[in-house]
Structure formats: structure tokens, C-alpha cells
Amino acid sequence: MERRAAVLGSPIAHSLSPALHRAAYRALGLRGWRYDAIECGEEGLAGLLAGLGPEWAGLSLTMPLKRVVFPLLDTVADLAVQVGAVNTVIFRDGARHGENTDVYGMVRALAEAGVTAPRAAVVLGGGATAGSALAALRELGLREATLVVREAARARETAEAAERLGMTLTVRGFGELATALEADLAISTLPSGAADAHAGALAAVPAVFDVVYAPWPTPLARAVRDKGGTVIGGLSMLLHQAIRQVELYTGRSPVPVEPVRAAGEAEILARAAG
């Protein structure tokens, strides 16, 4: 029987996940595995899940599904509950199980860049990825962080995640960004283009993690590099969270990292050239 997995979200055409997962299957020598990108908004998620057959091993979830999927699952891993975001659904023994591999992806991406023990950190944005960023910071030993959002109301769910994670969160607006950047690590979870206006200010931080992966480098990444700072890009996070997903879907471990990274980089270059 063919085994299937896919990434769901809206919009989804830009997703790099198919290139990464398919490369992982090749690296593992797996045959009969298929991975697709499926356009799916919040209103269509329940029906899509209900229509999946026994050939399905798992799903990757991106915007806007990471929070709304909770009531559709049978079990959810503790970390995903704490973060308030599920980016991975595993079908096991007729049940739907939710996981969060974004945290793993962030920690691995930071470690690759040599960022393992920040003294203070600031997170930009209040979406689902912001909660994962807080959990990653906790993994690195921090118990407090600053969150910068456009409006205080946008911080509510991330603040609740911080409480579940046992972290102290200070919330500031972008008008207070200069004060908030008294840190040695900044993590921007903002969508593509949203951090551009603040690139100059953020470049003063020694290490900056921009979760955007295309187009790359972003204006923020260029500004940090020009100042001699450390830049971590979204591809590294996406790579490692995808590898963890493949391990969960297939039961095969370890997944070779470099062939998957090369596939992601090649896909980004091909899109830029096309």
C-alpha cells in the first residue's frame, strides 16, 4: 500500500515542505511514499481529516491551522499543548495524534549557528510560531523573554503559552522596539516583509533568527550580516522540523540531514531563477 503525507495550509503553493520530505524519502531509500501540498483553510480542515484513508501516515500543518486543529485530535503531546500549536499530525492505530516539531527545528537551527546559551532574548510577532520560539528559548535555559507585537491583543495566546511554559513574558509594542532590543538574541516570527522596516534596529542584536526562508536573504538578514552579526534563516528551522516529522511518520531514524538541506537550497534557487 502506498503511504501518504502532505502539508496543509492556506496559501500553500509556496511551501518548501514537499521538496524537503521527498528528499528525505530518497535519502532513506523509501519507496511507495508520497508527499503533497494541499490547499486547506480553517473551514475545510475537519472535512479533509474525515476523508483520509488508511494510507495516510501524517500531515504537516502551517498557517492558519496550527491552533484550530486541537479539537480535531484524539491526543496531543504535552509540548504542543504548552506551546499552543500543533504543526504535525500522526495517524496511529486509528487515532489522530498532534505533535510540535517547530521547537525542535528552532533549537537545532540555533545550535548549528552556535547560539546555545543566550542571556536575554526578544521575540517579534504573536502568531503560533511565537509560542514555539518561547519553548525553544526555554530549551536553551531562559526563563523570561520579551515579546514585541503591533497590538497588545495579539499577545494574548502567546502570553498564555508563556504561562504554560513557566516563562515570564514582557509585552511591548513596536514603538518600544529600541528598549526591547536589549538582548543578545532576537527571533522574528513575522511574515515575509513585515520585519523589513525594523531591520536597522534589529541589526544591533548580536544574533538574529528570521523564520522567513524565501526570498533569501531578507533585508533583515542582510542588515545583520552587514553589522557582523549572526544570522539564522528559516530554511534551517524548516529543515530540522521536517526531518523530525519524517522520523515520526516513517519510524526511520536518523534521517540524513545534508541531502535534505541541499534539496531545499536547490528548490529556493530554482524558484528565484524562474
Side-chain angles (χ1 to χ4, degrees):
M1 179 178 66
E2 180 184 60
R3 298 291 281 158
R4 295 193 63 182
V7 58
L8 308 184
S10 184
I12 202 62
H14 70 287
S15 177
L16 204 62
S17 292
L20 297 174
H21 282 254
R22 292 166 187 169
Y25 298 161
R26 291 193 297 270
L28 289 170
L30 293 175
R31 296 184 178 181
W33 278 81
R34 173 179 166 185
Y35 190 96
D36 300 298
I38 299 175
E39 183 79 17
C40 180
E42 295 181 31
E43 67 288 344
L45 183 58
L48 190 149
L49 286 173
L52 299 182
E55 72 276 16
W56 283 87
L59 297 171
S60 312
L61 303 182
T62 186
M63 291 177 56
L65 306 176
K66 293 183 180 183
R67 286 172 171 160
V68 299
V69 71
F70 274 87
L72 304 175
L73 300 173
D74 298 298
T75 58
V76 182
D78 289 344
L79 178 61
V81 172
Q82 291 174 337
V83 167
V86 165
N87 78 316
T88 307
V89 178
I90 305 160
F91 301 107
R92 182 187 301 150
D93 300 325
R96 305 166 183 168
H97 177 66
E99 291 273 357
N100 182 298
T101 67
D102 283 338
V103 177
Y104 174 86
M106 285 188 168
V107 172
R108 290 294 304 132
L110 288 164
E112 279 189 342
V115 180
T116 56
R119 295 184 300 276
V122 57
V123 176
L124 279 66
T129 306
S132 296
L134 292 180
L137 293 174
R138 187 184 67 170
E139 290 286 319
L140 298 180
L142 289 180
R143 288 297 179 268
E144 59 184 53
T146 299
L147 182 74
V148 179
V149 290
R150 288 196 301 272
E151 304 167 6
R154 294 178 179 271
R156 180 179 60 82
E157 290 177 307
T158 307
E160 292 171 353
E163 185 174 355
R164 291 190 295 268
L165 289 162
M167 295 188 69
T168 300
L169 192 66
T170 301
V171 180
R172 298 186 184 276
F174 276 92
E176 305 170 275
L177 185 60
T179 302
L181 292 179
E182 295 173 356
D184 55 353
L185 172 62
I187 301 178
S188 172
T189 69
L190 300 173
S192 181
D196 293 358
H198 310 289
L202 286 162
V205 181
V208 176
F209 190 162
D210 187 349
V211 302
V212 174
Y213 61 81
W216 188 263
T218 61
L220 172 55
R222 287 196 296 268
V224 175
R225 284 176 179 169
D226 289 346
K227 283 285 187 72
T230 297
V231 177
I232 303 97
L235 175 59
S236 184
M237 170 191 168
L238 189 66
L239 164 72
H240 288 291
Q241 68 84 23
I243 282 175
R244 182 65 185 133
Q245 287 180 333
V246 171
E247 292 174 346
L248 291 169
Y249 298 158
T250 68
R252 295 280 296 276
S253 178
V255 176
V257 174
E258 294 313 316
V260 184
R261 189 196 311 274
E265 292 172 345
E267 180 67 16
I268 290 174
L269 288 174
R271 293 181 185 183

